[in-house]
């Protein structure tokens, strides 16, 4: 008979809506707003507010409010020591206050004036730190605060969990933003460097830099001051923004902000102008500026000026801006130095051909003069040596011959253009040049049309070797977008690739598959063999993945043992499944690393665009969910995302949060099922079974909450509670029933917990003055198959204390006679699937007979589970199984009903009823 479904109250629906809404919230403020909007729909309250401590932790600010304001609207800031919340924050416990107009607490007095009679103040604790309080006001005097307070605590606990997740997401986003900002700043500096190469005056240089600084950085004032020849004064050459300090103002260097910069060739940074000792800083502070930077501009190793910048914003990254401005200062100095040298060279060329020739010969630059025939007529000795030549070897050669053969047509065309432009114009390009030994260098060529004494046009090239600069830029670009370990694209590069792929798929009306891959058993490799072996294993995995995929596919490493694959232009789901299986198969051959054979697998979650998500973030989230489903199915498999998974995850998160508080809220309890001697009818033992009754969700089955507890490391706490409660019951029962034993189910995780199981049990046995021979631990046979060495050692320690070991549900796993013979096992609990139909199915009777015979030969006791009829009991007795448990004798009962079923009269009655009425299956199935 099915249990009738309970009517769901409006409050329960509102609670579910609140849980779902907070789970879906994407920001801290949205979590707070959702909480205060929906909590009054659940509880009979007239006011609810979220109050957060400020940075000094002295004041509380009301950041979200619903209900009566009581002269304390949203945004109100009140010293925390004047509020009831002060006790809440100090004790980190919920406070219930009867409001009083005469109270010294501001909130109590003001709320009392509006009719609120009770104030419930609960601490909001995130990452183990109290960040504020949740205050709830109640007007009706008969409102049961003791009843609504646990619900408030549960919902506040859920809010804290969501806030922790929100903060982690914000931290991850901040990391992505830093990478993006770094890339943007790198691009800005590259653009500025390129534009500077065409400028020919300090004024143009400053204008370009100042505009770029104001446009791309939080700066409102930029100026450049040039050092006077005597070094005692400095003149404001040019500025952009505030002109409190006038252009052309002549300022003494001594005792000024410039003295430090000039003397030490170091930047001067002031993060708080109001506290600066310098007069110029005080003038800027009076105009509203908060921070300033002054960096040296050097030419030939000497300071020739100071580049200054200031901001009116108080929240800026001081160090980041310092590094950018230092780079700009160096670029400015290098450009000025280049202009000075070019002007010097051009002046000499214009004045005298002979002097020009001497300058070319002796110049420390790569200078080349090309005639109208596109041939080299002059080259500096230094320049020729850079290319591995003597000057005389280059004269007469085509200028294009200094470049790779593939570039020569474009070089010839470029020379034609230069000869046609007006004299004095400057042209720039970055190209490859060929050395004598065949190696190539990157060169920035600055070209200008000149005339020789005969009036014939020529082209003067000033070439700068930028190979190292290009290499550094390329290296920085690579580091920003590729994983240092595997050289696969990193998270930043992957995110951009996913955005681009989705954009193209939308235009072409195509599907995209996203595969989220997590390696199975990788953590064990890292923990046992070390991170060096783990890193080499990740490299090998990356190589196998790369070899499996098409050139149009992309595989990236997100970090740790997580990889992602983008498959564009998906034609069929079957094709995606084939690729996923190939990736799994690639890991099947073991890896040989440091003379060790290592075997791992992978779990793959698959989400398809646009079916499973139309944005990169949704696609990633759903692929991640699918990957965890693949892991739940045993790993080394793939799983396609399904819409129901999101609902399951939401439900699972809700149960996880409730389970954390289940012990404290006394929602857990034990029931006990007798283990009976078939021959004597005496109850020889009890099996303790855990149950959970939630105040809102009702009874939740162990099959639902035990896996959640194992995955979230709550199983150790539950196991401790069950052991403590069951031994406490056994101690009381021994006052009248000295022979009784207690059987407790233990998860496999219990054997591998941080606090060893044998030590925990030893402490409890000592506490309750019980011998270990009265305790049996039940584990499944799958645990023995997977943890033989570790489990044998642990069980040996338990056996030394007299504790018995039982295999639960025997016969349902991959049974092995080896571990039955090798491990210290006392009892086999034969699964109910073999007991069922034992009296009518000869095959099951044969299997049962074989199990009992093996157990007898190994001197292992047998207990048959699920016995429901007298005929089954007779068959078990004839086969030599002498102990059973099941509904024939009793269903699992609470502790207060145990004395009744332990009395001889009850045992005699159960035997009589079984003989008269046969199977109890129909009668008890509905109770189960």
């Amino acid at each position: 008979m099915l249990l009738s479904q309970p009517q769901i109250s409006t409050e329960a629906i509102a609670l579910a809506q609140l849980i779902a809404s907070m789970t879906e919230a994407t920001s801290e403020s949205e979590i707070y707003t959702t909480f205060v909007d929906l909590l009054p729909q659940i509880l009979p309250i007239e006011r609810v507010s979220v109050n957060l401590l400020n940075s000094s932790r002295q004041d509380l600010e009301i950041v979200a409010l619903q209900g009566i304001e009581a002269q304390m609207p949203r945004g109100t800031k009140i010293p925390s020591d004047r509020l009831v919340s002060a006790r809440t924050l100090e004790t980190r416990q919920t406070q219930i206050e009867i409001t009083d107009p005469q109270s010294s607490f501001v909130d109590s007095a003001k709320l009392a004036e509006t009719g609120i009679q009770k104030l419930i103040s609960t601490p909001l604790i995130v990452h183990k730190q109290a960040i504020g309080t949740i205050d709830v006001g109640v007007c009706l005097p008969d409102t049961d605060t003791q009843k609504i307070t646990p619900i408030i605590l549960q919902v506040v606990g859920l809010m804290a969990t969501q806030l922790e997740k929100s903060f982690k997401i914000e931290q991850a986003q901040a990391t992505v933003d830093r990478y993006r900002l770094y890339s943007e700043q790198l691009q800005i500096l590259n653009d500025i460097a390129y534009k500077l190469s065409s400028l020919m005056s300090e004024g143009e240089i400053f204008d370009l830099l100042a505009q770029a600084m104001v446009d791309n950085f939080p700066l409102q004032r930029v100026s450049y001051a040039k050092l006077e020849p005597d070094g005692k004064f400095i003149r404001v050459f040019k500025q952009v923004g505030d002109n409190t300090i006038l252009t052309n103002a002549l300022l003494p260097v001594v005792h000024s902000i410039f003295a430090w910069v000039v003397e030490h060739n170091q930047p001067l940074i002031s993060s708080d102008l109001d506290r600066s000792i310098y007069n110029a800083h005080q003038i800027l502070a009076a105009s509203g500026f908060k921070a300033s930077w002054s960096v040296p501009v050097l030419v030939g190793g000497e300071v020739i000026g100071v580049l200054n910048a200031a901001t009116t914003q108080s929240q800026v990254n001081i160090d980041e801006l310092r590094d950018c401005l230092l780079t700009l200062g160096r670029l400015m100095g290098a450009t000025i130095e280049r202009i000075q040298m070019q002007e010097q060279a051009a002046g000499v060329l214009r004045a005298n051909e002979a002097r020009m020739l001497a300058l070319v010969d002796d110049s420390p630059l790569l200078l080349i003069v090309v005639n109208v025939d596109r041939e080299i007529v002059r080259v500096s000795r230094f320049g020729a040596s850079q290319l591995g030549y003597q000057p005389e070897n280059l004269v007469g050669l085509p200028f294009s011959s200094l470049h790779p053969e593939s570039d020569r047509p474009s070089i010839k065309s470029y020379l034609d253009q230069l000869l046609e432009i007006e004299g004095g114009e400057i042209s720039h390009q970055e190209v490859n040049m060929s050395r004598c030994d065949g190696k190539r260098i990157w060169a920035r060529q600055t070209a200008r049309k000149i005339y020789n004494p005969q009036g014939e046009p020529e082209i003067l090239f000033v070439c700068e070797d930028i190979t190292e600069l290009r290499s550094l830029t390329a290296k920085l670009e690579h580091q920003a977008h590729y994983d240092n370990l595997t050289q696969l694209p990193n998270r930043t590069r992957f995110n951009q690739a996913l955005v681009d792929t989705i954009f193209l798929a939308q235009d072409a009306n195509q599907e995209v598959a996203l595969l989220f891959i997590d390696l199975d058993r990788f953590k064990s490799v890292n923990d046992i063999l070390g991170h060096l072996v783990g890193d080499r294993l990740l490299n090998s995995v990356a190589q196998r993945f790369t070899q499996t995929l098409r050139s149009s596919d992309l595989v990236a490493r997100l970090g740790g043992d997580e990889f992602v694959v983008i498959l564009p232009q998906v034609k069929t789901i079957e094709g995606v499944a084939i690729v996923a299986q190939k990736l799994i198969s690639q890991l099947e051959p073991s890896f040989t690393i440091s003379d060790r054979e290592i075997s791992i697998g992978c779990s793959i979650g698959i989400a398809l665009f646009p079916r499973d998500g139309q944005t990169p973030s949704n696609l990633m989230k759903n692929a991640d969910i699918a990957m965890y489903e693949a892991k739940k199915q045993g790993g080394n498999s793939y799983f396609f995302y399904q819409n129901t998974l999101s609902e399951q995850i939401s439900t699972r998160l809700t149960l996880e949060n409730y389970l954390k508080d289940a012990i404290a809220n006394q929602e857990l309890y034990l029931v006990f099922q007798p283990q009976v001697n078939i021959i004597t009818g005496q109850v020889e033992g009890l099996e303790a079974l855990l149950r959970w009754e939630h105040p809102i969700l009702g009874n939740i089955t162990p099959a639902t909450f035990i896996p959640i507890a194992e995955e979230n490391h709550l199983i150790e706490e539950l196991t401790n509670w069950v052991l403590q409660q069951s031994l406490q019951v056994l101690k009381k029962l021994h006052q009248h029933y000295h022979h009784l034993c207690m059987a407790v189910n233990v998860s496999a995780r219990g054997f591998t917990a941080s606090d060893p199981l044998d030590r925990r049990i030893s402490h409890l046995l000592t506490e309750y003055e019980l011998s270990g021979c009265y305790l049996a631990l039940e584990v499944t046979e799958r645990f023995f198959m997977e943890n033989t060495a570790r489990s044998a050692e642990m069980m040996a320690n338990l056996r030394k204390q007299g504790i018995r070991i039982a295999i639960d549900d025997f016969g349902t796993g991959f049974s092995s006679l080896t571990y039955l013979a090798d491990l210290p096992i006392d009892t086999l609990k034969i699964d109910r699937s073999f007991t069922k139909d034992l009296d009518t199915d000869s095959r099951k009777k044969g299997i049962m007979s074989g199990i009992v015979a093996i157990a007898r030969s190994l001197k292992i006791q047998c207990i048959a589970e699920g016995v429901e009829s007298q005929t089954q009991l007779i068959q078990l007795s004839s086969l030599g199984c002498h102990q059973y448990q099941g509904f024939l004798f009793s269903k699992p009962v609470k502790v207060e009903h145990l004395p009744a079923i332990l009395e001889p009269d009850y045992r005699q009655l159960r035997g009589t009823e079984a003989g008269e009425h046969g199977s109890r299956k129909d009668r008890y199935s509905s109770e189960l």
Side-chain angles (χ1 to χ4, degrees):
M1 180 179 72
L2 296 175
L3 294 175
S4 60
Q5 295 293 329
Q7 294 295 322
I8 302 177
S9 66
T10 304
E11 291 80 2
I13 295 174
L15 176 59
Q17 183 183 357
L18 171 58
I19 293 170
S21 298
M22 283 204 297
T23 302
E24 295 171 357
T26 58
S27 67
E28 182 180 0
S29 61
E30 187 178 350
I31 292 173
Y32 297 145
T33 303
T34 300
F35 175 79
V36 300
D37 285 348
L38 296 181
L39 190 64
Q41 299 179 27
I42 303 170
L43 302 174
I45 61 177
E46 285 68 44
R47 185 182 194 274
V48 57
S49 67
V50 179
N51 321 302
L52 298 184
L53 284 166
N54 62 2
S55 57
S56 66
R57 300 185 69 80
Q58 299 299 317
D59 298 334
L60 278 169
E61 179 181 354
I62 300 175
V63 300
L65 172 67
Q66 185 66 260
I68 300 171
E69 288 191 352
Q71 302 179 28
M72 295 186 295
R74 181 181 174 185
T76 301
K77 297 179 181 178
I78 305 174
S80 60
D81 58 0
R82 297 180 60 195
L83 301 171
V84 173
S85 304
R87 290 205 308 266
T88 306
L89 294 170
E90 180 181 353
T91 64
R92 297 166 75 98
Q93 298 290 327
T94 297
Q95 305 294 320
I96 301 177
E97 176 82 5
I98 306 299
T99 61
D100 181 0
Q102 306 301 320
S103 173
S104 60
F105 291 120
V106 173
D107 48 356
S108 178
K110 289 186 176 181
L111 292 174
E113 293 172 359
T114 65
I116 290 179
Q117 299 196 12
K118 295 180 181 179
L119 173 62
I120 305 172
S121 181
T122 302
L124 180 56
I125 299 174
V126 178
H127 291 309
K128 299 182 181 180
Q129 182 177 12
I131 67 169
T133 64
I134 306 299
D135 291 352
V136 173
V138 179
C139 287
L140 298 177
D142 58 349
T143 300
D144 188 352
T145 56
Q146 297 301 322
K147 185 176 181 180
I148 69 174
T149 299
I151 299 177
I152 294 173
L153 287 172
Q154 289 181 2
V155 180
V156 170
L158 176 60
M159 179 199 290
T161 299
Q162 290 303 117
L163 286 171
E164 290 175 356
K165 293 180 179 178
S166 177
F167 293 160
K168 289 179 180 178
I169 292 173
E170 289 175 2
Q171 290 172 357
Q173 185 60 47
T175 301
V176 173
D177 290 342
R178 281 198 300 272
Y179 275 116
R180 184 184 299 113
L181 179 61
Y182 176 77
S183 298
E184 290 172 354
Q185 289 177 349
L186 182 63
Q187 184 60 48
I188 291 168
L189 294 175
N190 282 338
D191 291 344
I192 291 173
Y194 180 77
K195 293 176 181 178
L196 284 174
S197 63
S198 64
L199 302 183
M200 293 301 296
S201 70
E202 286 184 78
E204 291 177 330
I205 296 170
F206 175 78
D207 290 343
L208 173 65
L209 293 180
Q211 193 61 51
M213 292 162 70
V214 171
D215 288 346
N216 297 289
F217 302 105
L219 302 172
Q220 291 74 44
R221 184 181 191 277
V222 180
S223 68
Y224 173 54
K226 294 179 63 175
L227 196 64
E228 292 290 289
D230 59 8
K232 296 180 180 180
F233 292 89
I234 196 165
R235 187 182 299 276
V236 179
F237 176 68
K238 241 183 176 187
Q239 59 184 336
V240 171
D242 181 85
N243 60 353
T244 304
I245 302 175
L246 298 176
T247 303
N248 284 327
L250 193 64
L251 307 172
V253 173
V254 65
H255 302 312
S256 73
I257 60 174
F258 307 110
W260 170 268
V261 180
V262 173
E263 181 179 349
H264 297 281
N265 188 11
Q266 294 291 328
L268 177 65
I269 314 299
S270 177
S271 59
D272 188 352
L273 293 178
D274 289 326
R275 298 184 179 181
S276 176
I277 62 173
Y278 296 110
N279 182 56
H281 284 168
Q282 293 168 5
I283 295 173
L284 291 174
S287 297
F289 287 94
K290 303 297 183 184
S292 75
W293 298 259
S294 296
V295 300
V297 177
L298 291 86
V299 171
E302 299 292 333
V303 178
I304 66 163
V306 179
L307 182 62
N308 308 282
T311 182
T312 57
Q313 299 181 18
S314 55
Q315 300 295 327
V316 295
N317 192 320
I318 297 294
D319 294 336
E320 192 174 89
L321 280 174
R322 177 201 61 199
D323 295 340
C324 289
L325 294 177
L326 273 171
T327 302
L328 292 174
R330 294 189 187 103
L331 287 173
M332 186 175 188
T335 306
I336 292 173
E337 186 171 11
R338 187 260 302 165
I339 291 173
Q340 289 178 354
M341 298 184 73
Q342 285 182 338
E343 288 179 346
Q344 179 185 6
V348 171
L349 287 171
R350 287 192 298 269
N352 189 284
E353 172 69 6
R355 292 176 59 193
M356 186 275 291
L357 295 177
L359 176 64
V360 171
D361 283 338
D362 300 333
S363 173
L365 298 173
L366 173 50
L367 300 181
I368 301 174
V369 180
V370 179
N371 63 15
V372 293
D373 295 325
R374 287 65 171 172
E375 295 175 346
I376 300 171
V377 295
R378 203 73 180 176
V379 61
S380 64
R381 188 168 298 278
F382 173 78
S385 66
Q386 275 195 306
L387 296 175
Y389 292 96
Q390 293 296 322
E392 54 272 19
N393 298 135
L394 292 177
V395 174
L397 292 178
F399 178 70
S400 60
S401 66
L402 297 182
H403 302 79
E405 189 170 351
S406 59
D407 296 343
R408 290 175 188 176
S410 61
I411 295 297
K412 292 176 181 178
S413 177
Y414 180 55
L415 290 172
D416 293 340
Q417 296 174 20
L418 291 176
L419 289 169
E420 292 178 1
I421 64 176
E422 294 294 328
E425 287 190 36
I426 305 296
S427 180
H428 306 274
Q429 69 171 1
E430 292 183 2
V431 295
N432 276 132
M433 296 186 72
S434 300
R435 288 174 43 86
C436 178
D437 55 11
K439 292 182 180 178
R440 296 180 183 182
I441 65 168
W442 273 101
R444 180 182 291 121
Q445 295 178 348
T446 302
R448 184 173 184 176
K449 185 178 179 179
I450 60 174
Y451 293 89
N452 62 23
Q454 290 76 36
E456 297 171 339
E458 294 179 334
I459 303 170
L460 171 64
F461 283 96
V462 180
C463 304
E464 179 185 359
D465 186 349
I466 59 169
T467 304
E468 290 187 7
L469 178 61
R470 291 280 296 231
S471 175
L472 176 61
T473 303
K475 184 177 180 181
L476 292 174
E477 183 75 13
H478 185 83
Q479 289 176 349
H481 294 94
Y482 289 85
D483 176 45
N484 286 334
L485 176 62
T486 63
Q487 301 307 309
L488 292 178
N490 62 10
R491 185 183 293 271
T492 302
R493 175 74 181 88
F494 161 75
N495 286 338
Q496 186 59 53
L498 184 58
V499 170
D500 295 342
T501 305
I502 289 177
F503 179 78
L504 293 174
Q506 284 175 326
D507 283 351
N509 195 26
Q510 295 176 332
E511 284 191 306
V512 176
L514 178 64
L515 282 61
F516 196 114
I517 305 172
D518 188 89
L519 301 184
D520 300 332
R521 303 183 298 279
F522 177 76
K523 184 178 183 300
S524 299
V525 174
N526 250 1
D527 293 345
I528 297 172
L529 302 180
H531 290 284
L532 183 60
V533 172
D535 288 348
R536 293 178 61 187
L537 179 58
L538 287 172
N539 253 324
S540 299
V541 169
Q543 291 172 11
R544 291 193 186 181
F545 282 166
T546 302
Q547 293 165 3
T548 305
L549 299 169
R550 304 171 299 179
S551 59
S552 58
D553 303 330
L554 181 136
V555 57
R557 179 183 176 226
L558 298 183
D561 60 348
E562 292 181 342
F563 296 82
V564 282
V565 172
I566 300 174
L567 302 179
Q569 302 175 2
V570 170
K571 295 180 179 179
T572 64
I573 293 179
E574 291 77 9
V576 177
I578 290 172
V579 173
Q581 187 57 54
K582 283 183 178 179
L583 292 170
I584 293 171
S585 300
Q586 276 291 330
L587 301 189
E588 289 179 358
S590 61
F591 295 82
T592 303
I593 298 176
S594 299
D595 297 327
R596 292 178 180 268
E597 293 292 321
I598 301 174
S599 295
I600 61 169
C602 67
S603 300
I604 303 177
I606 305 171
L608 298 174
F609 168 87
R611 187 187 75 179
D612 301 327
Q614 300 191 8
T615 65
S617 58
N618 283 340
L619 211 56
M620 275 290 289
K621 179 188 73 174
N622 292 337
D624 191 17
I625 290 173
M627 182 274 293
Y628 277 105
E629 190 65 23
K631 277 207 178 289
K632 283 172 57 180
Q633 295 182 1
N636 211 37
S637 62
Y638 60 86
F639 194 88
F640 283 90
Y641 173 77
Q642 301 170 2
N643 289 330
T644 55
L645 288 179
S646 293
E647 299 172 7
Q648 294 172 11
I649 292 295
S650 178
T651 302
R652 197 175 184 86
L653 286 173
T654 301
L655 289 176
E656 176 186 333
N657 286 304
Y658 284 152
L659 186 58
K660 290 178 181 178
D661 301 322
I663 294 179
N665 296 337
Q666 298 182 347
E667 298 168 8
L668 301 178
Y669 64 94
L670 294 179
V671 294
F672 302 87
Q673 187 168 41
Q675 295 174 339
V676 186
N677 188 298
I678 293 178
I679 298 174
T680 66
Q682 183 181 36
V683 177
E684 296 183 341
L686 300 169
E687 180 180 4
L689 302 168
L690 181 61
R691 298 290 185 264
W692 179 18
E693 184 173 1
H694 190 270
I696 298 174
L697 302 178
N699 286 317
I700 302 169
T701 66
T704 299
F705 69 81
I706 291 298
I708 295 175
E710 289 182 328
E711 290 180 12
N712 293 278
H713 307 289
L714 299 173
I715 194 66
E716 184 175 351
E717 183 180 1
L718 292 183
T719 301
N720 289 343
W721 187 85
V722 172
L723 284 167
Q724 191 269 335
Q725 293 292 316
S726 57
L727 291 179
Q728 187 180 56
V729 169
L730 183 63
K731 176 65 176 177
K732 293 179 181 178
L733 290 174
H734 270 195
Q735 295 175 8
H736 301 287
Y737 310 99
H738 307 286
H739 68 285
L740 281 180
C741 296
M742 184 68 69
V744 177
N745 290 280
V746 179
S747 165
R749 298 276 177 101
F751 280 80
T752 58
S754 56
D755 186 10
L757 182 65
D758 52 348
R759 187 169 64 185
R760 283 180 277 153
I761 292 177
S762 177
H763 289 167
L764 287 171
L765 290 174
T766 302
E767 179 181 350
Y768 292 107
E769 299 177 339
L770 292 169
S771 170
C773 65
Y774 294 110
L775 176 64
L777 299 181
E778 297 186 3
V779 294
T780 62
E781 59 182 305
R782 180 177 292 276
F783 167 71
F784 292 101
M785 300 297 293
E786 295 176 353
N787 302 276
T788 305
R790 180 75 180 272
S791 59
E793 179 183 354
M794 178 69 74
M795 285 189 294
N797 292 335
L798 293 168
R799 289 286 297 276
K800 289 178 181 177
Q801 302 179 50
I803 298 165
R804 291 177 292 165
I805 306 298
I807 302 179
D808 198 12
D809 301 331
F810 180 77
T812 58
F814 300 98
S815 304
S816 170
L817 297 180
T818 301
Y819 73 78
L820 287 179
D822 293 344
L823 293 177
I825 298 168
D826 300 282
T827 305
L828 294 183
K829 297 194 68 179
I830 305 172
D831 187 69
R832 66 181 63 248
S833 62
F834 297 106
T835 306
K836 181 182 178 183
D837 302 327
L838 177 65
D839 47 351
T840 59
D841 190 333
S842 59
R843 292 178 304 169
K844 290 189 176 181
K845 182 177 180 180
I847 294 173
M848 182 70 78
S849 175
I851 294 174
V852 172
I854 292 172
R856 185 186 302 116
S857 66
L858 295 173
K859 298 181 180 180
I860 296 175
Q861 181 183 15
C862 285
I863 300 177
E865 297 180 302
V867 177
E868 298 181 350
S869 72
Q870 190 71 23
T871 54
Q872 290 174 349
L873 196 63
I874 294 171
Q875 290 287 346
L876 288 170
S877 179
S878 67
L879 293 174
C881 178
H882 301 311
Q883 200 170 18
Y884 78 98
Q885 65 184 83
F887 281 7
L888 175 63
F889 188 85
S890 172
K891 67 178 181 179
V893 298
K894 291 186 177 180
V895 65
E896 56 265 28
H897 300 304
L898 281 176
I901 65 175
L902 293 174
E903 292 300 321
D905 290 343
Y906 179 86
R907 299 199 300 272
Q908 193 173 29
L909 174 64
R910 299 305 289 172
T912 302
E913 289 179 349
E916 293 176 354
H917 303 293
S919 172
R920 297 290 174 177
K921 177 180 179 181
D922 294 337
R923 178 173 179 179
Y924 293 119
S925 60
S926 62
E927 296 175 355
L928 179 62

